[in-house]
Structures are given as structure tokens and as C-alpha cells.
């Protein structure tokens, strides 16, 4: 399988070539040249497979430059009961009205990002060793992504992580989760500023190409194709659990931010998995809901981006969205480049033609949004009626799933985090503390390892320079 860019660069690249890269050189995102088609016989064969074997089958369709035995070993090391808590890895819990929740958040950081990031850690370590290279991952986080990256990369050979977070501004649980890591290759940099300062510093360091090359700086952002590919697997795993045969349609409801998770659902659907609808759920930051209702994609300014109680969905633009639009436009790279390379940067967005927008339905997409009051009510209702405790992001997904439910079609809501990470909203909804998985009871009391730095580019560069030798 070779990969191309959504903006027209068709230099053929293999999976291992794009694994360690971010954007394509022309500013586009990487996608496979085509989507391998999965027929009924293949689905029937995959239905009974353990999760790691299913992952190996799906990845093998997209990866032909890592020997099969090596890929198999990497996948089997990743998806284990030890890391994800159960043999099923992503068990389904049925609620009512044909609605079920697919558990994706039982990895080390209690959010679905572990599903992809844990695999990425193994893939990066493997590929860097093969090339005799090192990588210094630089990132900014306000919570989920940074901790998932650190838990995936801890102790990995050839990799260091420098993760910037706003000093004192993450939730107590998130701080404890990240700062308690004692691994020598993990560097927590608490920046005296807000999240935007952290992000600006990362951008400034990455824009210094000389520094970037000299110190082998890379990222693990949400546009990485390998992350997306790893997420395709749980759509298949959820489908098999919700159905008995391979022609029954299922819908998925996905709490969305940067459009990575639901884009993986789009890929699964393009491969032939019988997905009827992909329900895109947003919170008050409704860039995506607005697009799916109107055909207008309008990036928000920071002043228009709200801080909500489902903070991992607080986005101003959706970084993976270009992938879907490229497919929607019949893979017209020139039109995609005009929209995302010209209209978005100069006019803050675009409106599709009526004919283009009409195709959204063929791709199965519908959408909805949820407010703070609605997610609190959904958390309370789900607890009272089912004794199932869900987190605020999953609640956004469930709220919108109910609005789009169709009789006879099961809807699977993707659980994107556990309630333990968002204690304040759980207290508000239920008047009690969230459940906490065993083993994490004393998390806040563990010794912490982090360095406070001023919000200055030179301070961060200096820190990297003095910690890359070891
Ligand atoms: C990252 C994240 C999301 C959004 O996922 P995208 O792939 O960016 O759409 C939703 N919920 C939680 C808890 C997350 O961490």
C-alpha cells in the first residue's frame, strides 16, 4: 500500500515512511491510495478473532513494509489484558433502545487515545531502531493527549518526550497521572502560562528547522495516519459484538473534536463494514455540527472557543477533517487544496456547493451538539436507570445518539474517557465521587517529577539541548 497527500502530492510513500512524519510536504494529510475492500467472507472469518489478531489482519492491509512476523509481534505486545483490562479489550455494554457503549478507555490513561497511542509507541520504537535513529517528541497538552503519549513512550528506546502543559491548570487527576511518571525519557515541562502559550512555544520550536533537524524533533499529533489506522480496528470489533451476522447495519455515535476518531469510522465504512450512520457529536464548540447541518465549515477564533465540561472536544478547527472532505469531493486534490490551503487560511472557512454537500448523506454522516446541562442530565439519567457511570464526553455522544436512533439499527456509542478523569462534573451530576479503577487509588500521593519553566521559547530550547545528551 502506498500513501498520497490530500493536496495532490502523489510521490508514492510506504507506511513506514509516513509513520514518523506529520503533514505531507505540500501541507496535506496522508491517506492510502485506495481503501482495501472487505467482503462478507472476510468479515465472517474475522468475526471470531481475538482483538490483537483482528488488529493484525486490518493493519496488514495497509502495512507492507514491515515484515508480517514483526507487525504481528508488535500488535500482540500492544493489545493485552495487562494493558487494557479485559480479554475483549473493547467490551460492549448494552443500555436500552438498541444503544450500547463500547469501552475504549480502559488503557493506562483512562481515555480512548491509549488505543492508538500504545500501538504507536511500539511502532515508533521498532522503526527508529530499524533506521538507527532517535526521536525527541515535543508536544503541548491540556490533558488527554499528553498523558496518552507519555504512557505510550515511557521507557521506549530511542525516544524522549518533552511535554509542555500549563502550570497548575490541568485537573488534579491529570497532573498526578503525568507528573508521577519516573521514567528518565519523559520530561514534564510545566509552563508558567496558559495552554495557548504552550502551543505557541511548540510551534515556534518546530518552525526553527535548523533546531528541529539538529535535535530530531517530532510530534505525535492527531493527524498521524498510524493513529487513525489503529482506531479503525475497534469499529470492526464493536460491529462484531453488536451483531450476529455480517449484513446487519450498525450506527456509531462518536464524541468528536479533531475528527480523528470518527474519521477512522469513515475509513471502516469505506472498507465495506456495514455502518449505516456515523453520528458526529460535538459540545458547545460545534464547528463540525454546523458543517454537517449547513455545508459551511467555519473555523472559530480563540475568543469564540468555549471552555466546557467536555474539554477534550473544545476545538476551534478539526485537524483531521480534511481527510474526509477529500473523499467527499471524490478525491479531488486541487479542490481540497483550494479549500484547506487557501480558503481556510485566508477566509476562515468555506461553504460547499449544494451538489458537494448533498453527498454527505451518502457517506452516512449526521450530527448533533450537546450543552453542559444536557451532558449532566445524561450522566445522571444513565446512572439512575442503568447504574452505568459515564464521563462528560461519552455523555455528549450518548445524548446525540438518542436523537438519531433508528428502530432496528443498533447504535454503538464510543466511550472516549472514564469518569474518574472528570470528578467535578460527576460530583455535579451525581453528588458523589466518580469510580476509580483499581490500582489508581493513591495516584495523587505519588512523588512527582516535573520542571517549571517560564513561557519562553529560549527556555524550552535550552532545556531540550541540555537533556538530549543523556
Ligand atoms: C481526544 C478526545 C476526544 C475527541 O476525539 P477526536 O479524535 O479529536 O475527534 C473526545 N473525547 C475525549 C475524552 C478525548 O480525549
Amino acid at each position: 500500500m502506498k500513501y498520497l497527500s490530500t493536496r495532490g502530492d502523489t510521490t508514492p510513500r510506504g507506511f513506514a515512511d509516513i509513520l514518523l512524519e506529520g503533514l505531507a510536504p505540500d501541507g496535506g494529510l496522508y491517506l492510502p491510495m485506495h481503501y482495501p475492500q472487505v467482503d462478507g467472507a472476510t468479515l465472517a472469518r474475522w468475526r471470531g478473532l481475538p482483538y490483537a489478531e483482528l488488529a493484525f489482519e486490518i493493519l496488514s492491509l495497509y502495512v507492507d513494509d514491515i515484515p508480517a512476523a514483526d507487525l504481528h509481534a508488535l500488535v500482540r505486545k500492544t493489545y493485552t489484558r495487562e494493558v487494557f483490562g479485559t480479554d475483549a479489550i473493547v467490551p460492549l455494554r448494552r443500555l436500552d433502545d438498541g444503544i450500547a457503549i463500547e469501552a475504549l478507555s480502559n488503557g493506562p490513561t483512562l481515555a480512548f487515545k491509549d488505543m492508538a497511542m500504545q500501538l504507536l509507541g511500539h511502532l515508533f520504537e521498532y522503526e527508529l531502531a530499524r533506521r538507527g535513529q532517535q526521536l525527541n517528541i515535543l508536544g503541548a497538552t491540556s490533558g488527554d493527549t499528553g498523558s496518552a503519549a507519555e504512557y505510550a513512550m515511557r521507557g521506549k528506546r530511542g525516544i524522549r518526550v518533552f511535554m509542555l502543559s500549563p502550570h497548575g491548570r490541568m485537573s488534579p487527576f491529570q497532573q498526578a497521572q503525568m507528573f508521577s511518571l519516573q521514567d528518565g525519557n519523559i520530561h514534564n515541562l510545566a509552563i508558567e502560562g496558559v495552554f495557548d502559550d504552550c502551543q505557541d512555544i511548540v510551534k515556534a520550536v518546530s518552525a526553527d528547522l535548523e533546531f528541529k533537524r539538529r535535535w530530531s524533533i517530532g510530534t505525535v499529533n492527531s493527524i498521524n495516519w498510524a493513529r487513525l489506522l489503529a482506531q479503525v480496528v475497534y469499529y470492526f470489533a464493536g460491529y462484531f459484538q453488536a451483531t450476529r451476522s455480517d449484513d446487519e447495519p450498525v450506527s456509531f455515535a462518536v464524541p468528536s473534536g479533531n475528527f480523528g476518531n470518527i474519521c477512522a469510522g469513515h475509513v471502516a465504512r469505506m472498507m465495506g463494514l456495514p455502518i449505516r450512520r456515523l453520528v458526529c457529536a460535538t459540545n458547545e464548540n460545534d464547528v463540525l455540527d454546523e458543517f454537517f447541518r449547513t455545508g459551511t465549515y467555519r473555523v472559530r477564533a480563540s475568543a469564540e472557543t468555549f471552555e466546557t465540561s467536555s474539554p477534550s472536544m473544545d476545538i476551534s478547527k478539526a485537524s483531521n477533517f480534511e481527510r474526509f472532505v477529500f473523499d467527499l469531493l471524490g478525491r479531488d486534490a486541487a479542490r481540497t487544496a483550494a479549500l484547506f490551503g487557501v480558503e481556510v487560511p485566508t477566509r476562515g472557512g468555506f461553504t460547499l456547493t449544494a451538489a458537494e454537500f448533498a453527498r454527505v448523506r451518502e457517506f452516512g454522516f449526521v450530527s448533533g451538539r450537546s450543552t453542559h446541562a444536557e451532558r449532566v442530565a445524561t450522566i445522571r439519567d444513565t446512572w439512575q436507570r442503568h447504574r452505568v457511570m459515564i464521563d462528560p464526553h461519552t455523555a455528549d455522544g450518548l445524548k446525540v445518539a438518542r436523537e438519531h436512533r433508528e428502530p432496528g439499527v443498533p447504535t454503538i456509542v464510543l466511550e472516549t474517557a472514564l469518569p474518574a478523569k472528570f470528578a467535578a462534573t460527576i460530583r455535579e451530576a451525581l453528588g458523589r465521587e466518580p469510580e476509580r479503577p483499581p490500582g489508581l487509588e493513591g495516584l495523587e500521593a505519588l512523588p512527582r517529577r516535573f520542571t517549571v519553566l517560564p513561557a519562553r521559547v529560549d527556555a524550552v530550547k535550552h532545556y531540550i539541548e541540555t537533556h538530549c545528551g543523556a
Side-chain angles (χ1 to χ4, degrees), residues 113-251:
K113 293 198 168 66
D114 291 329
M115 293 300 304
M117 208 71 94
Q118 286 289 316
L119 179 67
L120 207 67
H122 289 296
L123 283 169
F124 272 26
E125 182 178 50
Y126 173 86
E127 187 57 25
L128 288 166
R130 201 157 70 144
R131 295 175 178 220
Q133 289 176 3
Q134 304 231 331
L135 182 66
N136 292 306
I137 293 170
L138 176 65
T141 191
S142 54
D144 290 341
T145 311
S147 55
E150 290 190 353
Y151 278 76
M153 304 299 166
R154 62 187 295 198
K156 296 286 191 295
R157 282 180 305 272
I159 302 176
R160 290 185 200 85
V161 177
F162 298 90
M163 192 58 68
L164 281 55
S165 60
H167 186 35
R169 285 174 195 259
M170 286 191 299
S171 78
F173 184 89
Q174 285 173 323
Q175 289 184 40
Q177 206 173 37
M178 286 180 56
F179 295 173
S180 60
L181 285 178
Q182 299 298 325
D183 306 77
N185 71 327
I186 303 296
H187 301 270
N188 284 305
L189 306 181
I191 302 295
E192 292 171 322
V194 296
F195 174 64
D196 281 339
D197 297 319
C198 300
Q199 223 169 11
D200 288 346
I201 294 171
V202 169
K203 277 188 199 150
V205 174
S206 305
D208 181 344
L209 297 181
E210 156 66 20
F211 184 89
K212 199 176 162 201
R213 210 194 55 248
R214 171 133 181 253
W215 299 104
S216 309
I217 304 290
T219 54
V220 283
N221 43 33
S222 74
I223 54 155
N224 183 290
W225 165 254
R227 272 181 72 177
L228 212 111
L229 179 56
Q231 295 176 335
V232 171
V233 179
Y234 54 68
Y235 283 87
F236 283 83
Y239 178 82
F240 292 136
Q241 292 179 78
T243 58
R244 289 212 183 78
S245 68
D246 300 315
D247 46 13
E248 297 170 49
V250 162
S251 293

Side-chain angles (χ1 to χ4, degrees), residues 279-345:
V279 182
C280 178
T282 74
N283 61 20
E284 292 89 335
N285 295 293
D286 56 0
V287 192
L288 290 167
D289 178 44
E290 180 177 78
F291 171 80
F292 284 113
R293 279 185 296 104
T294 65
T296 294
Y297 178 63
R298 186 174 59 85
V299 170
R300 308 295 200 254
S302 348
E304 285 179 291
T305 309
F306 310 109
E307 270 184 46
T308 75
S309 49
S310 44
S312 298
M313 295 159 64
D314 293 348
I315 49 115
S316 54
K317 61 179 192 312
S319 51
N320 271 290
F321 188 53
E322 182 171 338
R323 286 193 162 106
F324 166 67
V325 172
F326 179 66
D327 284 341
L328 180 74
L329 300 174
R331 298 204 144 196
D332 181 340
R335 175 90 172 119
T336 308
L339 294 182
F340 285 92
V342 181
E343 295 215 21
V344 169

